[in-house]
């Protein structure tokens, strides 16, 4: 399954955390753009898409709070 987090150096962990933060910042722009487009999604699918967006955004926010935790689990 690839290298395990306990084998990574402190520098590698910091690089991973930095990359993840950058991706989360980029994702926030896409979430905002997606919210602006909700009105174009058919009503029958809109709620599902909105719930999924909030869920994935919440996962990202949780990661951003403590990225080191996710490197060990």
């Amino acid at each position: 399954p690839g290298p395990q987090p306990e084998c990574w150096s402190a520098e590698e962990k910091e690089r991973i955390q930095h990359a993840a933060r950058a991706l989360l910042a980029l994702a926030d722009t896409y979430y905002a753009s997606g919210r602006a487009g909700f009105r174009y999604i058919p009503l029958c699918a809109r709620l599902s898409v909105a719930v999924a967006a909030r869920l994935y955004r919440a996962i990202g926010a949780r990661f951003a709070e403590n990225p080191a935790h996710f490197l060990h689990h």
Side-chain angles (χ1 to χ4, degrees):
Q4 298 301 307
E6 59 271 5
C7 299
W8 298 337
S9 69
E11 180 183 340
E12 290 170 318
K13 290 177 184 178
E14 182 57 37
R15 289 174 58 200
I16 291 167
Q17 291 174 13
H18 177 76
R21 285 187 201 103
L23 286 172
L24 289 171
L26 178 61
D28 282 339
T29 63
Y30 287 115
Y31 288 126
S33 172
R35 279 190 302 274
F38 279 165
R39 65 178 179 230
Y40 299 108
I41 298 173
L43 195 53
C44 60
R46 193 177 305 166
L47 179 61
S48 299
V49 173
V51 168
R54 286 190 72 169
L55 175 66
Y56 284 111
R57 175 62 189 105
I59 292 169
R62 184 114 185 247
F63 174 87
E65 289 173 5
N66 188 4
H69 173 78
F70 287 86
L71 291 176
H72 298 290
H73 292 89

